[in-house]
Amino acid sequence: DAGVIQSPRHEVTEMGQEVTLRCKPISGHNSLFWYRQTMMRGLELLIYFNNNVPIDDSGMPEDRFSAKMPNASFSTLKIQPSEPRDSAVYFCASSLPGVNTGELFFGEGSRLTVL
Amino acid sequence: AQKVTQAQTEISVVEKEDVTLDCVYETRDTTYYLFWYKQPPSGELVFLIRRNSFDEQNEISGRYSWNFQKSTSSFNFTITASQVVDSAVYFCALREMGQFYFGTGTSLTVIP
């Protein structure tokens, strides 16, 4: 079975540019999470979708960040305009239906570097 | 308040030593799940174990064992006879009301 698929794996861009990160969750998983990981702040939850609906976006840093899940098999995280402090590894993860059951399955991450 | 606390930031052990990684959690729910994840130097996050709040039996998987104690809200992870390949950052996590809460991780270095 394919796991969570993220693209791109690496992205280097210049400050001010738009960045779009993509995620395909595991088929049948109805919960999708976007996390950001940095040395300074560790693993931070950015946003969480359940059945394609954003449930908690309190972790989204500011208006420059937006996330969408147009269908059960695709999600995007967009940063516009990007800033050097956005440099991090961004993980997408999905889990099975059920409020408390199921572990998170993580993608391999998208490493973003903003110059 | 932190829902999951991993007080040990970094641990170094010599190969073949046993090591225990501590995890303390906070929840008011009666139904919840606890997890451990491993993040090796390559960067991916690997699921290790899930434990629900109604099952306090300890679990052993090869060199890995987990001690879940509701009385102390702890879910500790022990690696027996550590190996260099165990060097990684280990995260403890709590799932309640659909959300996941991760600890800050413990970086384990196993010295050959």
Side-chain angles (χ1 to χ4, degrees), chain A residues 77-98:
Chain A
L77 178 67
K78 187 174 292 187
I79 308 172
Q80 166 63 18
S82 58
E83 297 182 2
R85 58 183 167 141
D86 302 330
S87 298
V89 180
Y90 291 81
F91 286 100
C92 176
S94 67
S95 73
L96 283 166

Side-chain angles (χ1 to χ4, degrees), chain A residues 9 31 33 35 37 42-43 45 48 55-56 89 91 95-96 98-108, chain B residues 29 31-33 35 37 39 42-47 49-50 89 91 95-104:
Chain A
R9 291 293 313 282
S31 294
F33 301 75
Y35 285 89
Q37 186 177 37
L43 201 57
L45 175 66
Y48 152 47
I55 303 300
D56 183 357
V89 180
F91 286 100
S95 73
L96 283 166
V99 175
N100 277 350
T101 60
E103 60 270 26
L104 275 177
F105 292 82
F106 283 86
E108 293 183 309
Chain B
D29 284 356
T31 303
Y32 54 89
Y33 280 78
F35 305 84
Y37 284 83
Q39 187 174 39
S42 51
E44 71 272 25
L45 281 151
V46 179
F47 164 74
I49 189 172
R50 175 183 68 180
V89 179
F91 292 94
R95 187 173 195 185
E96 61 170 21
M97 298 305 295
Q99 291 236 29
F100 284 85
Y101 300 91
F102 281 83
T104 50

Side-chain angles (χ1 to χ4, degrees), chain A residues 27-99:
Chain A
S27 177
H29 285 194
N30 75 333
S31 294
L32 184 139
F33 301 75
W34 281 100
Y35 285 89
R36 177 172 69 176
Q37 186 177 37
T38 61
M39 288 294 292
M40 290 293 291
R41 302 172 72 94
L43 201 57
E44 302 175 273
L45 175 66
L46 299 177
I47 188 168
Y48 152 47
F49 292 87
N50 200 40
N51 293 319
N52 312 337
V53 176
I55 303 300
D56 183 357
D57 65 354
S58 59
M60 295 286 266
E62 48 201 87
D63 291 346
R64 296 185 299 105
F65 285 68
S66 63
K68 293 182 180 179
M69 193 165 185
N71 57 61
S73 58
F74 185 65
S75 177
T76 59
L77 178 67
K78 187 174 292 187
I79 308 172
Q80 166 63 18
S82 58
E83 297 182 2
R85 58 183 167 141
D86 302 330
S87 298
V89 180
Y90 291 81
F91 286 100
C92 176
S94 67
S95 73
L96 283 166
V99 175

